[in-house]
Amino acid sequence: MMSRLKYIRLFEIICLLFMVGILCIYPKVSAQASTITREGVGSMLTDTTDERTNIDDPGSSEDADDLKELNIANTVTVTYDNGNGELNGSLRILLTLTLISIAPILIILMTSFTRIVIVLHFTRNALNTQTAPPNQIIIGLALFLTFFIMSPTIDTIRTEAIAPFEAGEIEQAEALQKAMQPIREFMYPQTQMKDVSMFMEISHTEWTGEVDDIPNAVLIPSFIISELRTAFIIGFLIYVPFIVIDMVVASALMSMGMMMLPPTTISMPFKILLFVLADGWNLVIGNVVKTFY
């Protein structure tokens, strides 16, 4: 019970700090009062502390109806960013936080990252080196290779979507559409038609065969499945020469009567030797990258 209360207090403290942070980064708001008479809305903002905006003085009502209508027409006009009606700072923060939250999903599923990281894991398992290279190295290498492959797409997004949006030349909806178009152009050549047709049939959507007619909700999962299939095919091809080494070593141990000795213990140095002599990392990484061009 005490630990639960501690977690509740810790959550309240985090919420309080979060609210304080929002108040600190929230843009400055200027408030101005406008005078409204019973005949209509005043056109001038007071913007002063000397001028009063109440219609009648306190205590001047003569009956209940007069009291009900007394001083109810006063309004306060709040202007943002010198009155231009835009919240650029707040929207920029909101978009940035949203992008940070979904960035891992975009990097993993809508780029070349999936194929690369799976192929690298297959390579490590085929070598039977357990944790060499470690997961951090594999993921880091996959990220840099993804950045290398996606650089033309990123440059196109920055040129056609981000820069015009920041300059105020296009609206947010148009910017998102233009930013998605280069990603679609990258995903479509890597996607197999049978995957697209499968999701089209599941969603009962007619397709004319054109790229522009494929919804994002269909193209993205089709691309992911195609990437998984391609990665496993490449992984199988990588496994073949190492399986041959395992079979040769196992046959040699059986012929010598050394059945208690695990074949993988003897075959691993030969796998590493073959991989080094063939410049395996250059072959694997080079050919995986070339599959996207």
Side-chain angles (χ1 to χ4, degrees):
M1 187 64 181
M2 293 298 295
S3 59
R4 184 178 179 182
L5 292 176
K6 291 181 180 179
Y7 283 122
I8 294 175
R9 291 178 180 176
L10 179 61
F11 180 77
E12 292 176 351
I13 293 174
I14 294 175
C15 292
L16 179 60
L17 293 176
F18 182 76
M19 293 298 299
V20 172
I22 292 178
L23 292 177
C24 292
I25 64 176
Y26 201 77
K28 183 179 178 181
V29 178
S30 60
Q32 295 175 329
S34 60
T35 59
I36 298 182
T37 62
R38 291 179 179 175
E39 289 76 11
V41 180
S43 59
M44 298 295 294
L45 295 176
T46 61
D47 198 21
T48 61
T49 57
D50 297 331
E51 184 178 349
R52 296 175 59 185
T53 61
N54 59 314
I55 302 174
D56 299 320
D57 293 330
S60 59
S61 59
E62 299 179 355
D63 51 20
D65 295 334
D66 194 7
L67 180 61
K68 183 178 180 180
E69 298 178 0
L70 184 63
N71 299 329
I72 61 173
N74 291 341
T75 61
V76 176
T77 302
V78 180
T79 60
Y80 291 92
D81 198 9
N82 295 326
N84 61 10
E86 297 181 357
L87 299 176
N88 291 336
S90 298
L91 288 178
R92 191 180 298 273
I93 293 173
L94 177 61
L95 293 175
T96 302
L97 293 177
T98 304
L99 182 60
I100 291 174
S101 62
I102 65 175
I105 299 176
L106 298 178
I107 294 175
I108 291 174
L109 299 181
M110 297 175 61
T111 63
S112 58
F113 181 85
T114 301
R115 183 188 304 184
I116 294 172
V117 74
I118 291 177
V119 170
L120 292 179
H121 274 284
F122 269 119
T123 304
R124 185 179 67 178
N125 293 335
L127 288 171
N128 196 28
T129 54
Q130 303 299 326
T131 58
N135 291 331
Q136 292 85 347
I137 300 298
I138 291 179
I139 295 176
L141 179 59
L143 284 174
F144 278 104
L145 292 176
T146 300
F147 178 76
F148 172 77
I149 295 171
M150 300 298 297
S151 292
T153 303
I154 296 174
D155 293 338
T156 304
I157 294 174
R158 182 170 56 249
T159 303
E160 298 183 359
I162 298 178
F165 176 70
E166 291 183 346
E169 299 175 358
I170 58 177
E171 298 294 333
Q172 180 179 352
E174 186 179 358
L176 293 175
Q177 183 179 2
K178 289 188 175 182
M180 190 62 192
Q181 187 61 32
I183 300 178
R184 289 174 56 89
E185 294 176 358
F186 168 79
M187 291 190 296
Y188 182 75
Q190 312 299 329
T191 305
Q192 298 189 13
M193 292 298 99
K194 60 180 179 180
D195 296 326
V196 176
S197 301
M198 178 187 67
F199 283 102
M200 284 291 189
E201 292 177 0
I202 295 174
S203 61
H204 302 286
T205 304
E206 296 183 359
W207 183 37
T208 60
E210 299 293 333
V211 182
D212 296 335
D213 295 336
I214 305 177
N216 292 332
V218 172
L219 182 60
I220 294 175
S222 302
F223 169 76
I224 296 171
I225 293 178
S226 300
E227 286 293 285
L228 292 175
R229 182 186 297 108
T230 304
F232 273 73
I233 293 173
I234 297 174
F236 170 77
L237 297 177
I238 292 174
Y239 254 101
V240 171
F242 297 106
I243 291 177
V244 173
I245 294 177
D246 285 333
M247 294 175 62
V248 172
V249 172
S251 299
L253 292 176
M254 288 285 291
S255 63
M256 291 186 296
M258 303 174 65
M259 295 183 237
M260 301 300 294
L261 184 63
T264 55
T265 305
I266 305 301
S267 63
M268 187 177 69
F270 292 99
K271 291 180 180 180
I272 297 175
L273 179 61
L274 174 64
F275 197 72
V276 172
L277 292 177
D279 197 6
W281 289 116
N282 183 279
L283 290 175
V284 172
I285 295 176
N287 285 281
V288 170
V289 172
K290 290 178 181 178
T291 57
F292 292 96
Y293 290 93

